[in-house]
Amino acid sequence: MPVLQIKNLTKDYGFGRGVFDVTFDVNEGEVFGFLGPNGAGKTTTIRHIMGFSRPQLGSTMLNGMDSWKNHHIIQRTVGYLPGEIALPESLTGTQFIRMMAQLREMPDMSYAEMLTKKFELVPSGDLKRMSLGMKRKLAIVTAFMHDPPILLLDEPTSGLDPMMQGIFIDFINEEKERGKTILLSSHIFSEVDATCDRIAIIKDGCLVSTFVANDLRHNESKTFEIEFATKEDFERFREQREYFQKISIISVKQHRNQLKVLVDDANINDLITLLADYKLLFFSEIKFTLQDYFMKFYDHNTTASAAMEVGTADVVS
Ligand SMILES: Nc1ncnc2c1ncn2[C@@H]1O[C@H](COP(=O)(O)OP(=O)(O)O)[C@@H](O)[C@H]1O
Ligand SMILES: [Mg+2]
């Protein structure tokens, strides 16, 4: 049985907002990426899984339990990192950690201490005066310090600096190695690419694609960009009609003597053999990325592409 089962989940907030007929499963030990720009419906879905909100239609189940009916058990079983954190301002970080440990009746703080070191959390200060980044680290440590088997991470790296984002990605991969089941929502392609086994793309509250991440990585055809040293070679290559069964020219930049070709993996040797007869300035593979795939669903939608991030260095939260 899958650990998480989201079946026909619908919550209509009006004006086309909300989530509509969302269905997916997350299996034990899997890292599942939930990818979409701001407003796509990621937080709404995750809050239903946590049992904070009641579905209008459909259901969310965790270990076979309905989230809404069992929200007390679920909120104790899951390590939940919300997208927006609210911490009690009157405490210090250390007091907050101690309070959460008591609530969870945790006898052993060694895992909490390991997390504190890993994320370079300095918990001693007042929460009122803590920087946003330090508050995020505190939220991370308290969300996971009881070593829960299931992690629900809602845009977990927003508010972290690039180095901490890297440490967080390593942490996800280590937790996966330890057998945890993880649902990660994100608008950052690189972190989804670096961690997820399967990915769902959500658009305007609806899932538009669910796929195995490796299927994208192991695409069976390749695109290469080639620049010829001379106009003569460029034109001569374009006349090689006997090869056109195996090598398709998909775009041409006439003024630069450049073109792009698409080749099945089985025919790459033919391309190399053919090119040996030409003088090139460069030859490089253009990787088909998660972003390319994503944009197929979001094409002509500039707000969505502007809201998505490619790298980890330039995150907007
Ligand atoms: N409680 C609510 N009441 C009304 N509209 C809401 C509520 N929660 C979310 N929405 C709307 O539902 C859509 C999806 O929001 P959300 O799930 O937060 O998206 P994401 O987490 O992907 O950014 C947005 O248009 C948002 O404004
Ligand atoms: Mg959100």
Side-chain angles (χ1 to χ4, degrees):
M1 183 181 61
V3 172
L4 300 178
Q5 292 169 288
I6 290 78
K7 271 196 205 141
N8 310 110
L9 176 67
T10 300
K11 183 75 148 212
D12 188 345
Y13 292 121
F15 307 103
R17 295 175 167 195
V19 292
F20 305 95
D21 203 22
V22 167
T23 297
F24 66 92
D25 289 344
V26 183
N27 297 311
E28 186 170 8
E30 190 171 45
V31 183
F32 190 93
F34 201 35
L35 186 64
N38 291 335
K42 304 181 295 297
T43 298
T44 303
T45 305
I46 290 176
R47 288 179 54 79
H48 278 87
I49 300 171
M50 285 299 292
F52 294 138
S53 188
R54 188 180 192 162
Q56 279 165 345
L57 289 172
S59 63
T60 66
M61 312 263 270
L62 190 143
N63 284 336
M65 291 179 290
D66 181 87
S67 300
W68 178 248
K69 291 183 190 139
N70 300 280
H71 58 272
H72 290 302
I73 305 173
I74 284 171
Q75 287 159 24
R76 251 183 284 134
T77 319
V78 170
Y80 169 54
L81 186 64
E84 280 167 26
I85 45 168
L87 299 168
E89 297 261 293
S90 58
L91 300 180
T92 65
T94 312
Q95 287 167 335
F96 182 63
I97 291 177
R98 215 173 287 146
M99 186 184 90
M100 294 304 289
Q102 276 164 5
L103 280 176
R104 290 178 177 136
E105 298 169 3
M106 282 171 56
D108 177 8
M109 290 300 282
S110 56
Y111 194 67
E113 280 153 22
M114 187 282 285
L115 291 174
T116 303
K117 277 206 194 84
K118 181 191 278 292
F119 289 103
E120 298 172 13
L121 169 66
V122 184
S124 53
D126 278 348
L127 283 173
K128 272 203 289 295
R129 295 204 187 85
M130 244 181 218
S131 68
L132 179 64
M134 198 56 85
K135 282 185 186 163
R136 291 293 307 182
K137 292 179 188 184
L138 181 63
I140 289 169
V141 171
T142 47
F144 310 134
M145 66 184 184
H146 52 313
D147 206 6
I150 303 164
L151 307 184
L152 295 188
L153 314 176
D154 194 0
E155 308 215 17
T157 63
S158 63
L160 295 179
D161 66 42
M163 209 177 88
M164 275 300 143
Q165 288 174 21
I167 291 174
F168 196 88
I169 287 169
D170 292 344
F171 167 72
I172 294 174
N173 287 323
E174 286 156 20
E175 293 291 271
K176 178 189 155 63
E177 286 295 305
R178 296 175 64 225
K180 301 224 177 163
T181 304
I182 304 176
L183 173 66
L184 160 88
S185 91
S186 182
H187 64 275
I188 303 167
F189 298 111
S190 56
E191 77 183 17
V192 170
D193 215 12
T195 54
C196 294
D197 302 311
R198 278 192 309 136
I199 299 169
I201 294 179
I202 183 162
K203 178 179 181 179
D204 301 333
C206 300
L207 287 198
V208 290
S209 179
T210 306
F211 54 94
V212 174
N214 270 338
D215 288 352
L216 271 196
R217 293 183 191 119
H218 303 153
N219 211 2
E220 282 173 7
S221 59
K222 304 268 180 299
T223 301
F224 294 96
E225 191 164 29
I226 306 165
E227 182 171 330
F228 295 88
T230 64
K231 179 77 41 203
E232 290 69 37
D233 268 10
F234 172 70
E235 297 297 349
R236 183 160 63 89
F237 183 85
R238 294 175 66 194
E239 295 302 316
Q240 295 282 352
R241 293 187 184 283
E242 68 273 25
Y243 283 93
F244 289 176
Q245 293 284 344
K246 291 180 173 176
I247 301 164
S248 334
I249 297 176
I250 54 173
S251 75
V252 171
K253 275 191 202 151
Q254 188 88 31
H255 59 291
R256 293 214 170 141
N257 301 331
Q258 284 178 3
L259 45 78
K260 282 184 194 160
V261 293
L262 182 70
V263 205
D264 283 352
D265 285 355
N267 295 329
I268 287 178
N269 271 342
D270 292 288
L271 176 66
I272 307 284
T273 309
L274 175 61
L275 287 173
D277 192 31
Y278 293 81
K279 197 156 192 246
L280 306 183
L281 292 184
F282 76 72
F283 172 76
S284 68
E285 187 189 347
I286 312 285
K287 294 261 189 212
F288 182 75
T289 63
L290 177 57
Q291 184 180 7
D292 295 328
Y293 183 70
F294 178 89
M295 286 307 170
K296 280 192 195 177
F297 300 98
Y298 271 96
D299 243 359
H300 315 300
N301 186 341
T302 46
T303 47
S305 41
M308 301 294 291
E309 293 294 328
V310 184
T312 52
D314 49 359
V315 172
V316 282
S317 56

